[in-house]
Amino acid sequence: MTATAADDRAAIRELIDSYALALDAGEVEECARLFAADGEFLVYGKTFAGHDGIAGMFRAAARGLHLTGVSRIAVDGERATARSQVLFVRAGDLQ
């Protein structure tokens, strides 16, 4: 792996961390802007596309705590994909 590819993977890992922190803080628009304008978010077999689709899904979702785990990140030139483990604890379950 080249230094650039390693740097890209580290930057993507930081994006995943930023996603969890922004979403847990209720910063839906900030979280949606972490995705590319043509980005897609696949969860529970459903795909949400673009900033509006992704932000809408976040607004409708239950609030809680997102704990990120292992990520598989593939960098291919100017494009990348990531698949991550996330443990979600619903806000009502935190009490």
Side-chain angles (χ1 to χ4, degrees):
M1 178 183 314
T2 66
T4 301
D7 291 343
D8 290 344
R9 289 171 53 89
I12 292 166
R13 181 64 230 181
E14 189 170 322
L15 278 173
I16 293 166
D17 295 344
S18 296
Y19 151 82
L21 292 171
L23 200 52
D24 291 350
E27 299 166 348
V28 170
E29 297 303 324
E30 179 180 328
C31 190
R33 284 192 304 270
L34 294 171
F35 292 80
D38 63 346
E40 295 181 340
F41 188 93
L42 174 63
V43 63
Y44 301 123
K46 295 181 182 177
T47 300
F48 301 88
H51 290 153
D52 290 341
I54 293 168
M57 184 271 300
F58 289 155
R59 277 189 219 92
R63 296 285 310 272
L65 178 66
H66 295 76
L67 302 172
T68 61
V70 176
S71 296
R72 180 180 301 144
I73 300 167
V75 177
D76 183 16
E78 293 295 314
R79 297 192 55 84
T81 58
R83 183 174 180 168
S84 297
Q85 293 175 326
V86 178
L87 173 64
F88 176 71
V89 181
R90 186 182 299 263
D93 296 337
L94 295 173
Q95 301 167 351

